[in-house]
Amino acid sequence: MPNIKSAKKRVLVNATKAKRNKAANSALKTAIKKADAAIAGGAEDRAELVKAAQKKIDQAAAKGLIHKNNAARKKSALAVRLNNSNA
């Protein structure tokens, strides 16, 4: 445990940010899984779920949770799966 006041604050701030990042990453993964399940199941609202997942991916990239190329790859893969399910 740190002794310096600023180091103690850093520990608290980092813990708060870690919780926020974990929640955002969890929401991102959940959105992607919902979209994948809708595509696999042939749900009627699969396009809307994919759009929502792509929005979450963009938000995660904007916050720095994932790299922009990782975001582009995830969005592209979702779009490919959606288009293949429509064909």
Side-chain angles (χ1 to χ4, degrees):
M1 195 64 198
N3 294 324
I4 299 169
K5 186 176 181 180
S6 61
K8 289 178 183 177
K9 182 177 179 182
R10 280 281 111 222
V11 169
L12 296 175
V13 170
N14 287 339
T16 302
K17 287 184 177 183
K19 286 179 186 175
R20 186 177 299 133
N21 288 340
K22 187 172 177 98
N25 272 324
S26 178
L28 172 65
K29 289 178 186 179
T30 301
I32 292 172
K33 285 179 186 177
K34 282 183 180 178
D36 281 338
I39 291 169
E44 293 297 319
D45 62 342
R46 62 182 178 261
E48 292 82 25
L49 288 172
V50 167
K51 189 174 178 181
Q54 287 177 336
K55 182 176 180 180
K56 284 277 188 193
I57 292 169
D58 282 336
Q59 288 173 339
K63 290 178 183 176
L65 294 175
I66 59 175
H67 192 273
K68 65 176 185 167
N69 291 350
N70 187 355
R73 191 173 66 247
K74 287 180 185 296
K75 286 171 59 177
S76 175
L78 266 177
V80 166
R81 287 195 293 271
L82 178 64
N83 290 338
N84 287 343
S85 73
N86 290 337

